[in-house]
């Protein structure tokens, strides 16, 4: 029995130290936490819910395997859901035991468009057969759309992995304790061999050894339990995205705005080069489409006629994005190229459509821009009939049209600050009337406000309003006693009417797209515009 304690100490030391070594080797956790889902072959698109890539510490990696070109696109969850619409999809919603992702199926149409390059996405990554996205940001409301060509079966597996920072806190203490116990056993063994104690001392030593043995036996029973307790099952984390916004969110972020702007500018430049209306319709709508289509028609007959200016896309001066959660949606950009600063209004018909240029106005040089809401919040689109300003947006356009026709002394003109555009209009009117009288002719003017109006609020309680005015000037030859005079036509009326002279009235039409700053109180100010020739005809 003399060596019993030494043997027990050495055995316990080996066992405890071995447990510590196992936690660092065979029982050590993997370097990564990985979860995978197999995607049903009938599903054309996969949605990864917000917060899924933040279940564990980032950086996380979203890996998709399939066939053909694959895209992982990201956008606010509400936009992703809107893009999916009534199409079939698989939604990755959480973690399941044994390293799997939980997937919920949504029934619907069997196909979706290829999502690559869509304007709706804040960013995207593409690849062939395999594509990966690395994620380090907060969860926020970011969702992910995964698809290929749009056909079912393009996406086969989705895998999310995170670095595993799991620790083994008992490993080092167990190895230290085990080593100490083993050495203690050797020490006890050495002293027992040298001991020649008396019987009384041996009895005392036996009693002490029994007491220590009981203590070490308890430790032997407890330590493995403690060591193994860390290996027990843990509750699986759940996605924790930001709460859904209580009001409409900003439509376009800064990076997205520049990407959309460049695409719009490039496509319109290509359409201008070929004067192709069909190409133009891919990236233009509303007044911008009308102005350029009319300009193309004019240029077919008047070779020297200039087209509207190119879309300024060197720099986004202000991302004047709208706060909106519905479609059709609109947003605005203040952009520049050289000395040209423009206000562009863009519209998107539905979540899967590209943004199109709705209007393009050149800002008046020296214009002091109003304070624009932060692009992360956006500004709410305004009702054209909103009464929160000096004039409703609708009335601002219609009153300016009346002022152009009635002159600088009209009651409508007094509602607006003086501007060079109206001054030039009135000056030209006076010169044309004088010239017509000298040629025994008469000239009349007509300014008709259009129904298409876009208005957005600013941070200083003003409104930026863009509207359309159709302008017509008609020159009629004098008619006396049944005899009618003859008008001599010059370019571009000559080419557009196909005649050098006429005894009929000739009407020249232009389209004016104008942008106003409408304050809460006070006078309205014209801050930008673009006038284009739309045609000339004989009555």
């Amino acid at each position: 029995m003399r060596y019993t304690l030494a043997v027990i100490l050495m055995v316990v030391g080996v066992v405890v130290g071995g447990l510590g070594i196992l936690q660092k080797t065979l029982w050590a956790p993997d370097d990564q936490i990985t979860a995978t889902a197999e995607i049903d072959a009938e599903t054309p698109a996969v949605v990864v819910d917000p917060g899924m890539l933040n279940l564990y510490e980032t950086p996380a990696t979203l890996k998709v395997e399939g066939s053909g070109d694959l895209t992982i696109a990201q956008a606010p969850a509400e936009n992703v859901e809107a893009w999916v619409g009534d199409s079939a999809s698989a939604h990755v919603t959480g973690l399941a035991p044994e390293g799997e992702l939980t997937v919920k199926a949504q029934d619907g149409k069997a196909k979706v468009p290829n999502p690559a390059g869509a304007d709706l996405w804040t960013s995207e990554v593409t690849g062939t057969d395999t594509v990966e996205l690395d994620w380090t940001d907060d969860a926020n409301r970011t969702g992910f759309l995964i698809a290929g060509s749009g056909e079912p079966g393009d996406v086969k597996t989705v895998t999310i992995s995170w670095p595993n920072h799991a620790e083994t806190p008992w490993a080092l203490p167990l190895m230290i304790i085990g080593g100490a116990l083993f050495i203690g056993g050797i020490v006890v063994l050495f002293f027992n061999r040298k001991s020649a104690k008396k019987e009384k001392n041996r009895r005392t030593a036996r009693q002490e050894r029994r007491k220590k043995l009981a203590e070490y036996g308890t430790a032997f029973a407890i330590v493995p339990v403690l060591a193994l307790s860390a290996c027990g099952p843990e509750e699986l984390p759940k996605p924790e995205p930001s709460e859904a916004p209580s009001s409409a969110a900003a439509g376009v972020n800064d990076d997205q705005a520049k990407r959309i702007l460049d695409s719009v500018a490039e496509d319109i430049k290509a359409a201008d080069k070929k004067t192709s209306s069909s190409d133009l319709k891919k990236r233009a709508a509303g007044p911008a489409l009308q102005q350029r289509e009319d300009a193309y028609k004019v240029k077919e007959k008047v070779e020297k006629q200039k087209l509207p200016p190119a879309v300024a896309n060197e720099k986004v001066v202000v991302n004047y994005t709208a706060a909106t959660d519905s479609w059709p949606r609109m947003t605005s950009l203040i952009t520049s190229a050289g000395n040209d600063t423009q206000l562009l209004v863009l519209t998107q018909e539905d979540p899967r459509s590209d943004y199109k240029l709705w209007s393009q106005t050149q800002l008046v040089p020296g214009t002091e821009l109003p304070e624009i809401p932060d692009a992360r919040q956006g500004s709410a689109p305004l009702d054209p009939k909103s009464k929160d300003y000096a004039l409703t947006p609708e009335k601002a356009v219609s009153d300016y049209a009346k002022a152009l026709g009635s002159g600088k002394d009209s009651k409508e003109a007094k509602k607006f600050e003086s501007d060079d555009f109206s001054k030039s209009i009135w000056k030209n009117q006076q010169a044309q009337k004088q010239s017509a009288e000298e040629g025994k002719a008469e000239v009349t003017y007509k300014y008709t406000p259009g129904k298409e109006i876009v208005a957005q609020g600013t941070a200083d309680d003003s409104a930026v309003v863009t509207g359309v005015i159709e302008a017509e000037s008609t020159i009629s030859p004098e008619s006396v006693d049944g005899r009618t005079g003859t008008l001599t036509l010059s370019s571009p009326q000559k080419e557009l009417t196909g005649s050098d002279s006429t005894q009929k009235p000739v009407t020249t039409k232009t389209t004016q797209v104008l942008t106003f700053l409408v304050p809460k109180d006070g006078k309205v100010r014209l801050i930008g515009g673009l006038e284009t020739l739309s045609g000339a005809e004989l009555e």
Side-chain angles (χ1 to χ4, degrees):
M1 300 295 291
R2 178 176 297 176
Y3 304 115
T4 301
L5 178 58
V7 172
I8 291 175
L9 288 174
M10 294 172 68
V11 171
V12 171
V14 170
V15 172
V16 172
L19 289 174
I21 293 171
L22 286 173
Q23 286 205 5
K24 283 292 186 182
T25 54
L26 295 180
W27 293 348
D30 294 334
D31 292 337
Q32 286 191 322
I33 301 170
T34 301
T36 300
E38 300 286 338
I39 304 303
D40 190 282
E42 302 299 317
T43 303
V46 179
V47 175
V48 179
D49 283 355
M52 281 300 302
L53 300 188
N54 296 84
L55 290 177
Y56 297 99
E57 288 187 31
T58 57
T61 299
L62 174 60
K63 181 178 180 180
V64 179
E65 294 180 305
S67 58
D69 294 334
L70 302 172
T71 298
I72 302 175
Q74 66 185 70
E78 293 75 16
N79 286 356
V80 172
E81 293 294 342
W83 190 92
V84 171
D86 58 359
S87 296
S89 58
H91 290 245
V92 178
T93 60
L95 289 179
E98 300 179 359
E100 295 180 354
L101 295 168
T102 56
V103 177
K104 293 183 179 179
Q106 172 182 298
D107 294 333
K109 296 179 180 178
K111 294 183 180 181
V112 297
N114 187 329
D119 285 349
L120 190 66
W121 313 130
T122 55
S123 66
E124 66 179 52
V125 291
T126 59
T128 302
D129 296 337
T130 301
V131 61
E132 292 186 7
L133 178 145
D134 294 324
W135 179 256
T136 58
D137 295 336
D138 294 333
N140 296 320
R141 297 287 303 166
T142 305
F144 302 87
L145 185 284
I146 303 168
S149 65
E151 297 291 332
D154 286 345
V155 180
K156 301 187 183 309
T157 64
V158 174
T159 301
I160 305 176
S161 58
W162 304 264
N164 190 359
H165 298 300
E167 299 178 353
T168 52
W170 284 98
L172 185 60
L174 288 174
M175 286 188 285
I176 294 173
I177 293 171
L181 290 174
F182 187 81
I183 293 173
I186 294 176
V187 172
V188 171
L189 181 62
F190 175 79
F191 280 106
N192 281 340
R193 293 182 62 183
K194 297 293 184 179
S195 176
K197 294 182 180 180
K198 295 181 179 179
E199 188 66 25
K200 182 178 180 180
N201 290 338
R202 285 199 300 270
R203 287 197 300 269
T204 302
R206 280 197 298 271
Q207 292 175 356
E208 290 177 354
R209 284 196 299 271
R210 289 170 181 167
K211 181 179 179 181
K212 290 181 181 180
L213 180 59
E215 293 175 352
Y216 290 136
T218 303
F220 181 70
I222 292 175
V223 169
V225 173
L226 292 173
L228 294 173
S229 64
C231 301
E234 296 182 1
E235 184 178 353
L236 294 174
K238 297 179 180 180
E240 296 181 357
S242 302
E243 293 184 2
S246 56
S247 58
V252 176
N253 68 24
D254 290 343
D255 292 339
Q256 189 180 2
K258 185 63 168 71
R259 190 180 74 243
I260 293 171
L261 172 63
D262 289 341
S263 295
V264 168
E266 182 179 349
D267 289 346
I268 289 182
K269 181 180 179 180
D272 284 353
K273 187 175 181 179
K274 297 189 293 183
T275 60
S276 169
S277 292
S278 59
D279 289 347
L280 180 64
K281 289 177 181 178
K282 297 176 183 177
R283 279 295 189 174
L289 175 61
Q290 177 189 336
Q291 284 188 302
R292 272 186 152 76
E293 280 190 323
D294 289 342
Y296 292 172
K297 293 175 183 177
V298 170
K299 194 168 180 61
E300 286 179 4
K301 297 180 178 181
V302 187
E303 186 177 350
K304 294 183 179 180
Q305 183 68 27
K306 290 185 178 180
L307 295 177
V311 174
N313 69 318
E314 286 185 6
K315 181 181 179 182
V316 176
V317 180
V318 178
N319 177 13
Y320 189 14
T321 186
T324 179
D325 54 10
S326 61
W327 281 269
R329 62 173 47 174
M330 57 76 58
T331 196
S332 300
L333 300 174
I334 298 174
T335 68
S336 67
N339 295 323
D340 188 12
T341 302
Q342 301 177 1
L343 174 67
L344 310 176
V345 177
L346 307 171
T347 59
Q348 186 184 39
E349 187 64 27
D350 57 64
R352 295 177 179 178
S353 296
D354 287 334
Y355 275 93
K356 295 182 178 181
L357 180 67
W358 184 86
S359 71
Q360 173 190 21
T361 55
Q362 294 176 293
L363 294 185
V364 175
T367 296
E368 293 184 7
L369 296 174
E371 185 179 351
I372 303 299
D374 191 294
R376 290 170 293 184
Q377 282 77 46
S379 61
L382 301 175
D383 189 318
K385 299 182 183 296
S386 175
K387 297 181 179 180
D388 295 332
Y389 304 93
L391 295 175
T392 67
E394 186 177 64
K395 194 164 179 56
V397 177
S398 63
D399 279 0
Y400 196 80
K402 291 178 181 178
L404 292 179
S406 302
K408 63 180 180 180
D409 296 324
S410 64
K411 64 178 182 179
E412 288 83 13
K414 297 183 185 303
K415 299 177 182 179
F416 297 84
E417 294 183 10
S418 177
D419 64 77
D420 290 339
F421 181 75
S422 59
K423 286 180 181 178
S424 68
I425 293 288
W426 293 325
K427 183 178 180 180
N428 289 337
Q429 287 177 1
Q430 185 177 5
Q432 286 178 339
K433 286 180 179 180
Q434 183 176 349
S435 177
E437 289 175 0
E438 292 174 355
K440 299 186 181 303
E442 181 185 10
V443 60
T444 58
Y445 301 95
K446 181 180 179 182
Y447 297 89
T448 306
K451 296 182 179 180
E452 294 181 295
I453 295 175
V454 164
Q456 284 180 257
T458 68
D460 60 356
D461 294 330
S462 299
V464 175
V465 178
T466 298
V468 181
I469 296 174
E470 299 292 348
E472 296 181 7
S473 64
T474 301
I475 301 177
S476 304
E478 184 181 47
S479 181
V480 179
D481 298 331
R483 291 180 298 176
T484 302
T486 300
L487 296 175
T488 300
L489 303 182
S490 58
S491 183
Q493 287 82 0
K494 179 176 64 174
E495 291 89 348
L496 293 175
T497 60
S499 178
D500 293 336
S501 62
T502 181
Q503 291 184 315
K504 297 180 180 180
V506 59
T507 299
T508 302
K509 300 180 179 181
T510 63
T511 300
Q512 302 168 350
V513 179
L514 305 173
T515 299
F516 304 91
L517 182 62
V518 184
K520 204 167 189 65
D521 299 295
K523 292 187 176 183
V524 178
R525 176 159 53 99
L526 179 73
I527 61 173
L530 179 63
E531 183 175 28
T532 56
L533 177 64
S534 53
E537 60 186 25
L538 301 177
E539 294 186 5

